[in-house]
């Protein structure tokens, strides 16, 4: 068995306990949310873009929590950040503006970025004033990131980028994103070689952003097209040719957080407040799955806190989390169906939006089928 394979007991990190003081932090966040003015929504980490709200979180020290103080952050633990994000998502708060930047861009800048890049972006991320997207997926590629066709060619002082990315959440609002692109031909037998990450500022000449509307009519997905966009050498993230290794190191942050099972949680809360009769056996099963997912996600946060990035465990959380999110919708539809008038702001609106958002659940962070293949390979089963 190769050294890269793991055994089933090693797949998920050991359980962790939240550090002392987090009960007070949780109460503080809940008090803030009870007084804040917003309409709870499903998928709030993608659909709830509110820059004023993000700036207020930054002012309270709830963004950039794990970023060192010298870069404008707060030097706190990943487990403390987990408490804050969990409360925000459970309440359906509008956190989309800062979400990607705070979740994975900041850690990647700390790990791979230059001092100039850190100084340029991290303080604004921690303040809730600089927003990022992710430039991984491409048309006709599905979850096969190694098949990217966007290409950057060396020119004087930097790179000339042409190609396109899809499913880029928030690109029409964001300041920049990390783009995975090909900078040299792949070596024979190693499709993942020759890839690099560039920090593309989205107001650059040659960048076109095209909306991909949801069934709800909402707009957070986009196609981003590059037409000979110049990216200076100062905006290369990490090492040229090491893009694949860098991207995969980000995925533990992207796939393992509480957003992977709390996207439809506000709908479940609304259902129970409606006092609808729910099959106690099925509800108990859902609660058990929720608790298991939370324990797994929290364990990964503990591993991240210790400087590890358990990618296989993150893939499991994302796969099971997608199933849980859909189960919440199925329970609600079984009980009430989809309301004929999904207007307003209450349960009918939450359910209608959840049903329409559901097809995208498996897309973000990798489709479930791809993730199961990754886990099977890691366990030596294929």
């Amino acid at each position: 068995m190769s050294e890269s394979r793991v055994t089933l007991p090693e797949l998920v990190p050991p359980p962790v306990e939240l550090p002392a003081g987090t009960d007070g932090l949780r109460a503080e966040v809940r008090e803030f949310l009870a007084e804040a003015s917003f309409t709870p929504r499903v998928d709030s980490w993608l659909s709830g873009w509110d820059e004023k709200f993000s700036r207020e979180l930054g002012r309270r020290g709830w963004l950039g929590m794990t970023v060192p103080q010298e870069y404008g952050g707060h030097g706190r633990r990943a487990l403390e950040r987990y408490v804050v994000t969990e409360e925000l998502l459970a309440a359906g708060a509008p956190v989309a503006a800062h979400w990607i930047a705070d979740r994975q861009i900041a850690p990647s800048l700390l790990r791979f970025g230059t001092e100039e890049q850190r100084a340029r972006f991290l303080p604004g991320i921690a303040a809730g004033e600089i927003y990022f997207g992710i430039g991984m997926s491409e048309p006709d590629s599905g979850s096969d990131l190694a098949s990217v066709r966007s290409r950057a060619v060396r020119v004087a002082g930097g790179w000339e980028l042409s190609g396109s990315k899809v499913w880029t959440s928030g690109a029409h609002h964001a300041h920049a994103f990390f783009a995975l692109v090909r900078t040299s031909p792949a070596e024979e037998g190693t499709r993942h070689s020759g890839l690099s990450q560039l920090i593309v500022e989205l107001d650059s000449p040659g960048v076109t952003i095209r909306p991909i509307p949801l069934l709800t009519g909402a707009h957070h997905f986009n196609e981003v097209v590059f037409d000979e966009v110049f990216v200076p050498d100062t905006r290369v993230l990490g090492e040229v040719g090491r893009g694949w290794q860098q991207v995969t190191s980000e995925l533990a942050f992207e796939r393992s957080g509480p957003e992977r099972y709390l996207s439809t949680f506000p709908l479940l809360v609304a259902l129970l407040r409606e006092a609808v009769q729910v099959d106690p056996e099925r509800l108990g099963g859902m609660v058990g799955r929720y608790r298991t997912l939370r324990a797994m996600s929290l364990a990964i946060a503990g591993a991240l806190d210790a400087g590890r990035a358990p990618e296989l465990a993150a893939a499991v959380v994302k796969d099971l989390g997608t199933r849980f999110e859909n189960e919440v919708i199925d329970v609600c539809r079984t009980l009430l169906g989809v309301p004929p008038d999904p207007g307003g702001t209450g349960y009918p609106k939450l359910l209608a939006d959840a049903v329409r958002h559901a097809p995208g659940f498996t897309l973000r962070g990798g489709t479930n089928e791809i993730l199961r293949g990754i886990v099977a390979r890691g366990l030596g089963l294929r």
Side-chain angles (χ1 to χ4, degrees), residues 38-79:
F38 65 89
T39 299
R41 65 183 72 203
V42 297
D43 248 8
S44 64
W45 61 280
L46 286 177
S47 64
W49 193 283
D50 186 333
E51 296 177 13
K52 182 178 178 181
F53 190 87
S54 291
R55 289 193 297 270
E56 178 60 23
L57 294 181
R59 190 186 70 80
R60 291 172 177 266
W62 294 338
L63 300 183
M65 293 181 70
T66 61
V67 173
Q69 293 180 357
E70 59 263 36
Y71 298 119
H74 306 283
R76 301 180 74 166
R77 298 182 59 183
L79 292 169

Side-chain angles (χ1 to χ4, degrees), residues 11-13 82 251-262 289-290 292-301 310-325 365 368 371 375:
L11 182 60
V12 178
Y82 189 96
L251 293 177
F253 293 96
E254 182 177 353
R255 291 171 172 165
S256 66
E259 70 270 29
R260 293 307 173 188
Y261 57 91
L262 289 180
R289 284 183 283 282
Y290 161 74
T292 300
L293 278 163
R294 182 177 186 270
M296 293 174 66
S297 179
L298 194 56
I300 296 172
E311 296 161 16
L312 292 183
V316 173
V317 169
K318 198 278 175 181
D319 178 19
L320 297 180
T322 295
R323 288 194 248 176
F324 179 80
E325 289 178 321
N368 288 22
L371 295 176
V375 173

Side-chain angles (χ1 to χ4, degrees), residues 17-25 76-77 79-80 83:
E17 297 291 335
L18 289 170
T22 53
D23 286 346
L25 175 61
R76 301 180 74 166
R77 298 182 59 183
L79 292 169
E80 293 177 285
V83 168

